[in-house]
Amino acid sequence: MEYLGVTHPFNLSVYQIKILDWVVNGNGNAIVDAVAGSGKTFTLKAISLYLKNAIFLAFNKHIADELSKKLTGVNVSTIHSLGLRALKYKFGNNLEINGR
């Protein structure tokens, strides 16, 4: 399949192409509500080909680790990890973290 001059090996459904088109050309917010096994990660793989300097946020570390194995060219993190990196960037690495 070719989309916007990028050729990739994905055979996307009509719904997945609409999601990809919104990511590339849309504005505002969007929600993808889909059941397990419907191709959300597969769609993210296609989307990752079009994004530069992007970060994909996952609900937990296990999901973030799995996504980072499957996606190329993007950063994958949890929201907590992203927040910690922002704090360290602003205040340095000598932060004292309260585990509670």
Side-chain angles (χ1 to χ4, degrees), residues 79-94:
I79 190 73
H80 289 99
S81 177
L82 179 65
L84 181 59
R85 277 189 274 153
L87 289 171
K88 286 182 176 182
Y89 178 80
K90 176 68 177 173
F91 300 108
N93 288 327
N94 294 327

Side-chain angles (χ1 to χ4, degrees), residues 6 30 37-38 43 47 49 65 67 73-74 76:
V6 176
S38 61
T43 305
I47 289 169
L49 296 175
D65 290 343
L67 275 178
V74 295
V76 179

Side-chain angles (χ1 to χ4, degrees), residues 46-67:
I47 289 169
S48 70
L49 296 175
Y50 296 90
L51 301 178
K52 304 292 183 238
N53 297 319
I55 185 165
F56 283 49
L57 296 176
F59 182 73
N60 63 40
K61 184 168 176 18
H62 175 74
I63 295 170
D65 290 343
E66 287 299 311
L67 275 178

